[in-house]
Amino acid sequence: MLKIKNLHASIEDKEILKGINLEINPGEVHAIMGPNGSGKSTLSSVIAGREEYELTDGEIIFEGEDLNEMDPEERAHKGVFLSFQYPVEIPGVSVTNFIKTAINANRKAHGKEDMPANDMLKLIREKSEMLEIDRKFLSRSLNEGFSGGEKKRNEIFQMAILDPKLSILDETDSGLDIDALKVVANGVNKLRREDNAVLLITHYQRLLDYIVPDFVHVLVDGKIVKSGGKELAYELEERGYDWVKEEKTV
Amino acid sequence: MQSLTGTVILIFEIETNKMELKDKLISSFLAFEESLDPDSGLESLRNEAIKDFETLGFPTRKDENWKYTSLNSVLKHDYSFFPEKEDAIEYRDIKKYLIHDIDTYDLVFIDGIFSSHLSQTTHDKIDVCLMSSALNKEKYRPIIENYYNKIAPKTGLNSLNTAFAREGAFIHIDKNKLADKPIQIINFATGNESALLLQPRNLVVVDENSHVQIIERHQSLTDHPVLTNSVTEIFADRRAIVDYYKIQNDKSAASLIDNTYIQQKSESNVSVHTFSFGGKLTRNNLNFYQKGERIDSTMKGVTIIEDKQHVDHNTLVHHIEPNCESHQDYKGIYGDSSTGVFNGKVVVEKEAQKTNAYQSNNNILADDKATINSKPQLEIFADDVKCSHGCTIGQLDAEALFYLQSRGIPRKEARGLMMYAFANNVLESVKIPEVKKRINKLIASKLEVELGFNL
């Protein structure tokens, strides 16, 4: 589904990603862990198409197509979804209206008519119940004044609605209390299928107790220095990141 | 050397044109006055006003209040002042400019002349009629004497209007009355004249405990130049409530100078919403005079313009007595080479303790060539007041754009949605749902956004 080969990316001439190789197949959950500043969020931004980053070498192939030349919205239309670490507040647009706009924009990109209002309502109701989202929440302005937990829940709600092929969850666990984390993780698990995949970006192992990864990769200084199964996450939790760094130096 | 001479000649020509319009107005005044019914009682007022206009003339950019707005381009036309009556306009021609999905009183003027077949007036409990008839009826004499031209400051443009105005809306809501439906005041220009100057004059008197909602619109139906110099005086007595909505979405050859003056007595509540979406040049002079305590004055505006359009909001709130509030919230989105001006002045007199005055002016420059001049002016002589003002000028937030795009919303729509969101919250205080809906649609169409939801 996703093949990243020798990916180098910089921002303002500073190289952040220094040769990433990663392959994600349908049905898999991958976790990328790493210390602060290792390039985790940069990787997610580059896949989703944030403009500030310049891809200097390598390629990102998604379903056989090169993502690099695509605008963020085209990537979304292909089925890439990024759950933001810091979702943006947009006063004046309600959650519902935003969702409707996004759904119909994606349908339009696939040559489909707008979704009938009844189907829309049904979909919104179904997914908001799954994520235990209050109806009042839907009429509020997008992310404005939302608590950290509400923002993240809203991200997963959008993921559930848009039903992407590849979901990148960037630090979705940060700012969540344990109950909210369970709801969010439960939502993500329910959305898992044989034909979609999840890339978790996280600093801590905590989230991985609830969304169990098939593969764990350790990102240090812009490179994946170690990959393994879910047990690698526990090892990192216990021993920190230093031993991986040392291993790398050796 | 050659080009220098050319420049001098150009300036000279503009000055000449302006002089010509002024001279033409002054010299046509005598004939105009003779054509009027001598009983209207405004003769001495008109005579005085034309003299004032002769002295003051049209404002120029040398006037501090007109520093960023030049009238040169709109004064150069050879306007006719007294058009013929036009009967050929039918309801179907103008329906789309009206708020037609609710029942309203309508005062429709075609080329400055009242159209009875397109209007719906009343004298049942409240008076919603035309100025010319009010001026000629003994019954309304006391109201005219007490209120007509009492708060419009002596400026060249106001004096010009006072000298020539002969028609407009006359609205009087007697005390303890609720106007049972909104009133629409609509001025159309047909294009029968090659260039037309219109000078409507409105008077709104709302007595104690009464309530009225008014929608005002100036609409050209032609590509011929139209200049409207409108004066509206509004008096809100104790505990009166007035909600006034101005819809300005005119053709590209039409210009509007709107002069609106409001006097409020204790515990009254007046709001004016100004939606400026089109026209060549639009200048809104909006003054509030608070004569009493616990008064609430609200001024809100949304401006969305493009091309070379120009919109200038010039507001004044005069806090004279204690415990009053004023709220100003103006938002603007400027595209292409359009220019905007916001000049908001708040004066708090020494006696006006415990005043709460808020002012905010937020702008988005959607293109590199667009300009906004924003100038808040606070003059505070009292020491126990809360006054705040804020002004922002910016572009759209790149991170928010990325967020919307990452959800599959194309860049153009994402920009439109963000601008829509930026402007839209000013509508929260619009009390007539149909007006809110109409403005919402206008905003969406101005921003060329097909929003994926029903407004």
Side-chain angles (χ1 to χ4, degrees):
Chain A
M1 178 181 281
L2 180 75
K3 279 185 189 145
I4 296 177
K5 291 180 202 159
N6 190 33
L7 181 68
H8 290 254
S10 355
I11 186 163
E12 290 165 359
D13 290 332
K14 187 171 183 261
E15 189 169 55
I16 311 282
L17 301 181
K18 302 171 180 172
I20 302 261
N21 291 292
L22 181 67
E23 182 165 352
I24 299 178
N25 295 305
E28 294 177 351
V29 174
H30 288 245
I32 293 199
M33 301 185 71
N36 289 331
S38 58
K40 302 191 298 292
S41 282
T42 299
L43 179 61
S44 62
S45 293
V46 169
I47 300 172
R50 195 189 292 266
E51 264 178 17
E52 301 92 287
Y53 294 95
E54 197 192 344
L55 204 147
T56 50
D57 199 6
E59 52 185 12
I60 310 172
I61 306 294
F62 181 72
E63 304 257 278
E65 289 184 84
D66 189 350
L67 284 188
N68 190 33
E69 293 303 311
M70 293 184 199
D71 289 332
E73 60 265 33
E74 292 175 80
R75 301 179 197 214
H77 301 154
K78 298 280 176 211
V80 176
F81 178 89
L82 171 63
S83 166
F84 279 53
Q85 183 177 4
Y86 304 108
V88 184
E89 298 192 3
I90 305 186
V93 180
S94 70
V95 175
T96 308
N97 284 341
F98 167 66
I99 294 278
K100 287 179 182 172
T101 308
I103 290 175
N104 285 332
N106 281 288
R107 288 174 70 94
K108 197 176 170 189
H110 292 110
K112 291 186 200 163
E113 296 283 301
D114 282 0
M115 184 181 277
N118 274 345
D119 296 1
M120 187 85 81
L121 273 177
K122 211 179 133 207
L123 181 68
I124 291 175
R125 192 177 301 139
E126 185 192 316
K127 302 301 180 190
S128 59
E129 274 168 19
M130 183 179 96
L131 286 153
E132 298 175 25
I133 285 173
D134 196 306
R135 189 164 288 221
K136 276 184 235 150
F137 176 92
L138 298 173
S139 57
R140 284 168 63 185
S141 276
L142 186 60
N143 292 324
E144 192 188 27
F146 286 18
S147 68
E150 285 173 328
K151 281 183 182 169
K152 296 302 171 73
R153 204 181 292 196
N154 185 30
E155 293 293 286
I156 304 307
F157 174 56
Q158 293 170 38
M159 171 183 157
I161 295 264
L162 296 172
D163 192 21
K165 288 177 187 159
L166 174 67
S167 302
I168 306 162
L169 310 187
D170 189 2
E171 306 273 3
T172 295
D173 50 333
S174 69
L176 290 187
D177 62 35
I178 194 69
D179 293 328
L181 182 69
K182 280 180 187 168
V183 174
V184 164
N186 190 27
V188 173
N189 287 329
K190 277 188 190 162
L191 296 169
R192 287 183 63 179
R193 286 198 310 261
E194 279 305 303
D195 62 345
N196 64 19
V198 178
L199 178 61
L200 302 166
I201 310 260
T202 181
H203 187 81
Y204 302 102
Q205 169 268 339
R206 187 177 74 140
L207 176 70
L208 308 182
D209 286 342
Y210 299 96
I211 308 173
V212 182
D214 301 302
F215 302 96
V216 174
H217 311 277
V218 184
L219 188 67
V220 176
D221 192 23
K223 277 183 178 171
I224 290 176
V225 296
K226 198 172 179 62
S227 295
K230 63 183 178 211
E231 63 287 345
L232 180 57
Y234 293 103
E235 206 172 347
L236 289 168
E237 182 75 1
E238 228 166 77
R239 300 173 63 185
Y241 288 104
D242 287 346
W243 66 277
V244 197
K245 286 183 196 167
E246 280 158 24
E247 216 170 65
K248 181 192 160 202
T249 338
V250 173
Chain B
M1 203 58 210
Q2 201 70 37
S3 65
L4 198 67
T5 320
T7 315
V8 172
I9 288 168
L10 187 69
I11 291 166
F12 176 73
E13 273 176 2
I14 291 167
E15 286 298 321
T16 313
N17 280 326
K18 208 192 304 182
M19 285 303 289
E20 275 173 8
L21 181 59
K22 186 182 165 188
D23 289 347
K24 197 178 147 193
L25 281 159
I26 292 164
S27 60
S28 63
F29 180 73
L30 270 181
F32 167 71
E33 210 186 16
E34 277 166 20
S35 74
L36 293 173
D37 183 344
D39 292 338
S40 73
L42 295 182
E43 211 182 307
S44 61
L45 204 58
R46 289 184 199 280
N47 281 321
E48 201 183 313
I50 195 71
K51 277 184 207 140
D52 289 336
F53 174 66
E54 205 170 347
T55 318
L56 298 163
F58 288 107
T60 69
R61 293 182 64 169
K62 284 176 204 146
D63 298 296
E64 188 59 28
N65 260 334
W66 289 82
K67 197 172 166 188
Y68 300 108
T69 298
S70 164
L71 290 179
N72 283 343
S73 67
V74 299
L75 298 181
K76 67 182 182 195
H77 301 290
D78 186 18
Y79 291 109
S80 57
F81 314 137
F82 313 113
E84 295 295 308
K85 190 170 167 59
E86 166 61 63
D87 289 322
I89 302 285
E90 294 298 328
Y91 180 70
R92 63 169 184 274
D93 303 324
I94 60 162
K95 187 186 171 196
K96 65 176 173 178
Y97 301 113
L98 299 166
I99 305 290
H100 54 76
D101 33 14
I102 44 167
D103 202 10
T104 52
Y105 295 112
D106 301 325
L107 295 167
V108 177
F109 302 91
I110 311 282
D111 291 339
I113 296 163
F114 180 69
S115 167
S116 56
H117 78 284
L118 296 170
S119 298
Q120 196 203 343
T121 61
T122 185
H123 290 290
D124 180 20
K125 298 190 186 95
I126 62 172
D127 292 301
V128 179
C129 64
L130 40 158
M131 183 65 85
S132 60
S133 94
L135 287 174
N136 289 318
K137 281 186 189 145
E138 193 57 38
K139 187 182 158 195
Y140 299 115
R141 187 60 53 92
I143 292 172
I144 298 292
E145 277 174 6
N146 279 331
Y147 297 106
Y148 192 95
N149 204 44
K150 288 292 185 273
I151 49 172
K154 198 187 278 184
T155 64
L157 290 161
N158 286 341
S159 299
L160 179 63
N161 180 288
T162 304
F164 284 97
R166 55 179 169 172
E167 196 54 284
F170 177 88
I171 297 166
H172 176 222
I173 315 293
D174 210 352
K175 66 178 178 187
N176 305 319
K177 293 281 187 306
L178 177 74
D180 54 334
K181 45 194 181 183
I183 300 163
Q184 299 195 74
I185 307 170
I186 320 231
N187 298 276
F188 290 102
T190 60
N192 286 355
E193 309 287 336
S194 62
L196 179 63
L197 174 67
L198 290 172
Q199 302 211 67
R201 180 81 180 210
N202 306 315
L203 180 62
V204 179
V205 178
V206 186
D207 290 345
E208 275 185 48
N209 294 319
S210 293
H211 181 191
V212 66
Q213 296 179 317
I214 298 169
I215 302 152
E216 180 191 347
R217 185 161 186 162
H218 301 269
Q219 185 64 49
S220 170
L221 305 169
T222 170
D223 294 325
H224 292 169
V226 178
L227 173 61
T228 302
N229 177 38
S230 168
V231 173
T232 303
E233 291 174 288
I234 301 170
F235 295 85
D237 209 332
R238 296 167 70 88
R239 292 181 297 280
I241 302 172
V242 181
D243 299 315
Y244 207 106
Y245 304 96
K246 292 173 184 285
I247 304 175
Q248 303 169 346
N249 184 30
D250 217 339
K251 293 213 168 195
S252 58
S255 294
L256 170 67
I257 303 164
D258 180 309
N259 306 281
T260 298
Y261 306 103
I262 296 152
Q263 180 179 288
Q264 290 184 251
K265 295 239 173 109
S266 291
E267 292 172 58
S268 63
N269 188 326
V270 177
S271 71
V272 176
H273 289 71
T274 307
F275 302 105
S276 307
F277 300 145
K280 179 182 166 69
L281 181 150
T282 308
R283 163 75 174 220
N284 288 295
N285 293 317
L286 178 59
N287 294 7
F288 278 79
Y289 307 103
Q290 295 187 335
K291 299 223 164 143
E293 294 198 38
R294 293 173 299 282
I295 290 168
D296 201 311
S297 306
T298 299
M299 281 137 278
K300 298 210 175 185
V302 179
T303 304
I304 304 174
I305 53 171
E306 57 192 358
D307 297 332
K308 288 182 176 175
Q309 294 172 333
H310 179 92
V311 171
D312 179 347
H313 294 289
N314 190 292
T315 68
L316 165 72
V317 188
H318 196 169
H319 290 278
I320 301 166
E321 294 189 40
N323 301 309
C324 293
E325 297 199 2
S326 67
H327 303 266
Q328 293 191 63
D329 187 359
Y330 281 82
K331 292 200 166 171
I333 299 172
Y334 301 90
D336 301 331
S337 309
S338 61
T339 50
V341 183
F342 176 78
N343 193 339
K345 188 169 175 178
V346 177
V347 180
V348 183
E349 296 292 349
K350 202 174 165 197
E351 292 74 27
Q353 299 292 3
K354 307 277 182 198
T355 290
N356 287 334
Y358 305 100
Q359 182 185 83
S360 103
N361 173 232
N362 301 299
N363 304 285
I364 290 179
L365 297 178
D367 287 290
D368 293 344
K369 287 180 183 160
T371 314
I372 169 81
N373 291 292
S374 182
K375 185 179 166 196
Q377 280 176 279
L378 299 176
E379 290 178 13
I380 302 168
F381 302 102
D383 53 13
D384 184 15
V385 299
K386 274 189 208 156
C387 292
S388 71
H389 68 91
C391 157
T392 62
I393 298 168
Q395 275 95 31
L396 292 174
D397 178 21
E399 180 67 8
L401 267 178
F402 174 60
Y403 187 69
L404 295 174
Q405 284 179 272
S406 79
R407 298 301 181 251
I409 301 170
R411 191 176 174 84
K412 185 172 171 272
E413 275 74 26
R415 280 174 61 92
L417 188 61
M418 281 178 62
M419 291 195 274
Y420 167 80
F422 167 80
N424 182 47
N425 70 344
V426 174
L427 299 190
E428 279 165 17
S429 48
V430 172
K431 289 181 195 143
I432 307 172
E434 289 76 14
V435 171
K436 193 185 271 189
K437 215 164 120 185
R438 173 68 66 90
I439 299 298
N440 242 321
K441 277 189 180 161
L442 277 173
I443 292 177
S445 82
K446 279 289 149 192
L447 298 172
E448 292 177 32
V449 205
E450 233 181 277
L451 298 162
F453 47 89
N454 292 322
L455 297 165

